[in-house]
């Protein structure tokens, strides 16, 4: 297990792959690559992205440690590149309680890549939607999401300095 606390209730649960020499088979990455996934723990639990299969085992160990026995309520699929969603089907098998927050474009691609069995879990959203669960609030607004992602990335980089 190798997780990182980003802020109160937000944890990095991804994994590092030191075996790769090139990103997208074109760009040198002499120290490997980090596949980032973030777990938000509040009244509900939210996972932002999954990871590439290369680090799937570590990712699921990290996720289990982060959840601490709690169910995973939601996974947000930000986009369908393999380094963000390759382990989605495995995640849904391990966590049958999980709803998939997804836009229309990604929903169609999930069906293409993984088949129709995940469709019943889709919670379709569009830019600007807000997910409200009990007292919790999770915004899907792109500006706010981009700002939080930049903040999390900076805190994550500070952890590994």
């Amino acid at each position: 297990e190798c997780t990182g606390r980003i802020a109160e209730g937000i944890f990095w649960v991804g994994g590092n792959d030191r075996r790769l020499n090139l990103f997208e088979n074109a760009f040198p990455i002499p120290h490997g690559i980090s596949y980032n996934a973030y777990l938000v723990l509040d009244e509900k639990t939210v996972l932002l992205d999954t990871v590439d299969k290369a680090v799937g085992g570590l990712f699921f160990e990290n996720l289990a440690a982060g959840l601490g026995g709690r169910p995973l309520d939601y996974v947000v699929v930000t986009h369908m590149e393999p380094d963000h969603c390759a382990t989605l089907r495995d995640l849904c098998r391990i966590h049958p309680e999980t709803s998939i927050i997804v836009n229309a474009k990604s929903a169609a691609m999930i069906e293409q890549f993984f088949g129709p069995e995940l469709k019943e879990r889709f919670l379709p959203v569009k830019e600007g939607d807000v997910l409200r669960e009990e007292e919790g609030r999770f915004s899907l607004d792109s500006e706010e999401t981009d700002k939080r992602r930049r903040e999390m990335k900076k805190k994550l980089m500070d952890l590994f300095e």
Side-chain angles (χ1 to χ4, degrees), residues 16-150:
N16 296 311
D17 185 353
R18 306 271 185 234
R19 300 170 308 123
L20 284 182
N21 296 319
L22 294 174
F23 177 68
E24 297 195 350
N25 230 10
F27 306 102
I29 48 173
H31 304 292
I33 193 163
S34 177
Y35 298 112
N36 296 314
Y38 301 96
L39 179 63
V40 178
L41 301 175
D42 203 347
E43 287 186 33
K44 296 289 184 173
T45 57
V46 180
L47 177 66
L48 302 172
D49 284 332
T50 69
V51 297
D52 191 87
K53 284 198 176 271
V55 295
L58 177 61
F59 164 69
F60 286 114
E61 287 176 23
N62 291 345
L63 181 58
L67 286 169
R70 292 180 63 183
L72 179 60
D73 297 302
Y74 303 101
V75 59
V76 177
V77 176
T78 62
H79 63 287
M80 287 298 296
E81 289 181 354
D83 59 326
H84 293 266
C85 69
T87 53
L88 182 62
R89 184 191 327 222
D90 296 333
L91 176 83
C92 290
R93 183 181 41 76
I94 294 167
H95 292 279
E97 73 281 7
T98 304
S99 295
I100 303 170
I101 298 174
V102 64
N103 64 33
K105 181 84 157 178
S106 292
M109 293 176 80
I110 289 171
E111 284 190 72
Q112 283 181 316
F113 296 150
F114 301 118
E117 67 268 12
L118 298 180
K119 187 175 183 174
E120 66 187 32
R121 296 173 181 240
F122 290 172
L123 184 58
V125 295
K126 62 187 178 316
E127 188 170 321
D129 282 354
V130 175
L131 172 66
R132 296 180 195 277
E133 282 290 336
E134 298 167 16
E135 296 300 313
R137 178 178 184 269
F138 190 78
S139 174
L140 301 168
D141 181 70
S142 64
E143 238 179 80
E144 185 175 336
T145 303
D146 287 344
K147 179 182 174 193
R148 285 184 183 173
R149 183 173 284 149
R150 284 191 303 274

